[in-house]
Each structure stands twice: as structure tokens, then as C-alpha cells.
Amino acid sequence: MRIMVTGAHGQVGWELSKRGKRKGFDILGLDRATLDITDQSVVKRRVEKSEAVLVVNGAAYTAVDQAESEPELAFAANRDGPANLASACAEAGIPLIHLSTDFVFDGEKKGPYLESDQVSPLNVYGKSKAAGETAVRERLAEHIILRTSWVYSERGGNFVKSMIRLGRERDVIRVVADQYGCPTYAADLADTILIIAVQIQDNREIAWGTYHYCGKGVASWHGLALETLSLAKQYTSLKVKTIEAIGTADYPTPAKRPLNSVLDCSLMEKTFDIHQKPWQQSLARMIKRMFSV
Ligand SMILES: NC(=O)c1ccc[n+]([C@@H]2O[C@H](COP(=O)([O-])OP(=O)(O)OC[C@H]3O[C@@H](n4cnc5c(N)ncnc54)[C@H](OP(=O)(O)O)[C@@H]3O)[C@@H](O)[C@H]2O)c1
């Protein structure tokens, strides 16, 4: 089964390509240099010629704070790119799995967010991703929009790797403790996508639409930092003595972030029989892998 993967050098794209190949999928992985998803005619041609059974869009502009000063770039990659892919997929008769984010929500809800909850993004990145979701829905019936959150992996820049780096460099680290979400290992997300891919290939009745998938359990950034450093110290020597809990107000950033971005994933479980993995277990796997290479 051939799967075309865009953004193949990103955290999710990379894991998907690697794990997909290992599991016997024919992965056509395209990085930004090979396929810029904002180039409409090239996207059309690439999808047409791909001979893929499924396209997965792992490409996105993900620099949340930088997006505040580069809205055109964020919207080009996160709205126009998915629009191009969805149009090309519609013409070629190929379904699309498109990744989206918890940051489409404003964080005001008490309790986990459902797929049916109103989106109300607080920042440019979230607005551009919400626009991307709409663009996909408008152009292609056979789509899965997969919202995820707090993604980390051995590859690329992410919170977990930053904490390990800071833990080696500093005595004190201050981390926000009043934003809550669900840390997600890119490898688990890749496996989820591959399970859906198999169901698409098997011609099962697919309930196209929007789904949530993230790690199981809730953390604050501070809680995630504590767990990360407690796991990492088994493999490396750390300088850090204090991991101080601070409030969002003590750590101003260009982009406002939701205080609650916990995603309810029960629809995914019910529809595709895909179960969330406890975030602490996945984090332990990632950190072990990180130090074993
Ligand atoms: N990271 C998170 O915490 C998080 C949370 C929730 C949802 N998500 C969503 O999950 C998906 C995957 O995220 P990720 O963490 O894997 O992101 P990532 O590591 O930043 O990877 C994104 C990839 O897309 C590429 N890209 C950017 N613009 C492109 C364009 N115009 N054409 C083609 N490729 C382009 C980037 O290339 P360059 O490196 O060259 O820019 C990068 O390789 C995204 O849709 C993201 O919005 C991520």
C-alpha cells in the first residue's frame, strides 16, 4: 500500500515514514525541498502521479510564537497547503489524513475537548490551523482530520528535548504549571495513522471526519518537565537542582496559549478501535531511544 507523506522530515512525518517502511508500507516521503505544499500546481501534479492509496499531510508551519509576526507564512502552509492537497486528492480520488491541533480551542472549557466543540483559537497558529481544517472539509469528503497535542520525538525541536538540554545547562528551570494538555509521542501518532491506513486499504466503511488522538492522561508543562528530567537522569548527568512551577503570567510569550487543551479521544477509540498510550510510558520509551542512538 503506497502512502504519500508530506512534511516527511518533521517529527510526525519522519516517524510515519520510518515506522511505515518498517511495517511494509510503500512510503513516498516528501520533504519541503521535494514538495512545497503551498505550490498548487506542483501539489496537483505530485498527487496525480503518486499512485498512492492515501495521502498524509505532516507538513505545517509549527513555530507558534513566530507565527504572530509571520501570519502570511503560517496561513500559506497551514490553510493554503491543506487546501491544495485536499483539491488534488479530490481530483485524484485519494483520501487525505490531515493533522491538526489542540490550539484550535481557547482552553476555556472545563474538561476535555470533544471533536464537536466550537473552535475558537487564541493565536495566529491556531487560527491558521482552524482555517486549514475548514479548507479540507470544503474540498474533500474522504478526509480524516486528526487533532493532536504537545508532540515530542527524538527528532526535531520539542519541549521534551529542550528540558533535557536545559537540565544539563542550568541549576534552576522555571516551567509553566497552569497550562494543561496531553503529551503525545510522534511514534504513537504514526502508529495510529498506520492503523487507519490499513482500514482504508481494507475498504472498510470509513467514518470520515474529525478525530482526536493524543497520549493518555493529563499533564502540565511543569509536570511534563519533572517526568522528563526524572527519566533522563538515568541516562545522562544533569546540573538542574530546582524545577520551579510558575504561572503563565510569569512567562509572557508572543502567542497566547489555551490553559486547557486536553483532548477527548473516545470517538477515535470507538470508531477505529485505537487506544491511547499512557503519556508517561511513551515518554520513557522516547527518552530511552534518544539515549540509545
Ligand atoms: N508539534 C506539536 O506540538 C504539535 C501539536 C499539535 C499538533 N501538531 C500538528 O502535527 C503536525 C505535525 O507536526 P510536527 O510536530 O511533526 O511538525 P514539525 O516537526 O515542525 O514538521 C513540520 C514539517 O513541515 C515542513 N513544512 C513547513 N512548511 C512546509 C511547506 N510549505 N511545504 C512542505 N513542508 C513544509 C517543515 O519543514 P521545515 O523544517 O523546513 O520548515 C517540517 O519538516 C502539524 O500539522 C502540526 O500542526 C503539532
Side-chain angles (χ1 to χ4, degrees):
M1 171 184 191
R2 173 168 286 194
I3 306 176
M4 175 174 148
V5 180
T6 61
H9 283 185
Q11 296 192 87
V12 178
W14 181 264
E15 281 292 341
L16 182 58
S17 302
K18 192 177 70 177
R19 298 174 87 77
K21 281 177 196 160
R22 208 185 291 152
K23 289 179 182 185
F25 291 87
D26 175 8
I27 302 284
L28 177 62
L30 306 172
D31 64 3
R32 187 212 273 262
T34 324
L35 178 65
D36 181 337
I37 61 167
T38 64
D39 190 331
Q40 191 178 12
S41 55
V42 177
V43 167
K44 186 173 179 309
R45 226 176 312 125
R46 269 286 179 176
V47 170
E48 232 168 47
K49 289 192 178 154
S50 67
E51 294 179 12
V53 175
L54 171 68
V55 174
V56 179
N57 181 27
Y61 179 108
T62 56
V64 176
D65 286 316
Q66 214 172 308
E68 296 298 307
S69 50
E70 297 180 340
E72 312 78 25
L73 290 181
F75 273 87
N78 294 346
R79 177 195 56 200
D80 305 340
N84 294 338
L85 283 165
S87 296
C89 284
E91 279 180 40
I94 304 173
L96 171 69
I97 297 182
H98 170 65
L99 291 163
S100 192
T101 173
D102 53 334
F103 279 19
V104 295
F105 297 118
D106 62 15
E108 297 288 329
K109 186 177 177 184
K110 305 274 172 276
Y113 278 95
L114 297 167
E115 289 80 352
S116 53
D117 283 325
Q118 184 66 43
V119 303
S120 178
L122 297 175
N123 54 44
V124 168
Y125 166 74
K127 286 178 185 153
S128 68
K129 293 294 293 183
E133 291 188 0
T134 305
V136 170
R137 287 186 198 109
E138 283 174 353
R139 287 165 177 78
L140 177 69
E142 294 196 332
H143 70 261
I144 301 283
I145 291 170
L146 198 47
R147 293 195 190 120
T148 188
S149 59
W150 296 26
V151 178
Y152 61 87
S153 72
E154 299 94 294
R155 188 183 165 85
N158 57 65
F159 178 86
V160 168
K161 287 175 70 183
S162 298
M163 285 305 113
I164 295 172
R165 179 175 49 77
L166 292 175
R168 283 164 157 165
E169 291 170 5
R170 295 192 189 170
D171 293 318
V172 180
I173 307 177
R174 303 169 76 233
V175 191
V176 170
D178 59 356
Q179 292 172 23
Y180 293 90
C182 307
T184 308
Y185 185 18
D188 294 340
L189 192 55
D191 287 345
T192 292
I193 293 167
L194 292 171
I195 293 171
I196 299 172
V198 170
Q199 298 189 20
I200 291 171
Q201 184 190 30
D202 289 352
N203 282 322
R204 281 188 227 170
E205 200 62 24
I206 300 291
W208 305 105
T210 302
Y211 293 90
H212 292 169
Y213 179 83
C214 57
K216 185 175 186 156
V218 177
S220 68
W221 292 113
H222 180 256
L224 178 55
L226 285 177
E227 187 73 16
T228 296
L229 292 165
S230 142
L231 289 162
K233 72 172 185 243
Q234 300 171 52
Y235 304 98
T236 185
S237 81
L238 298 175
K239 195 173 173 214
V240 66
K241 302 279 177 300
T242 310
I243 303 157
E244 192 186 324
I246 60 168
T248 299
D250 303 317
Y251 190 74
T253 52
K256 202 172 169 200
R257 287 163 167 78
L259 291 179
N260 166 33
S261 66
V262 176
L263 300 175
D264 182 305
C265 300
S266 46
L267 186 63
M268 170 68 83
E269 185 171 332
K270 206 168 77 187
T271 311
F272 295 102
D273 198 23
I274 292 171
H275 300 264
Q276 294 169 274
K277 302 235 171 74
W279 70 261
Q280 296 91 336
Q281 285 178 22
S282 293
L283 182 66
R285 271 166 52 224
M286 176 266 179
I287 290 175
K288 187 174 179 191
R289 276 190 200 145
M290 185 178 159
F291 287 102
S292 63
V293 286

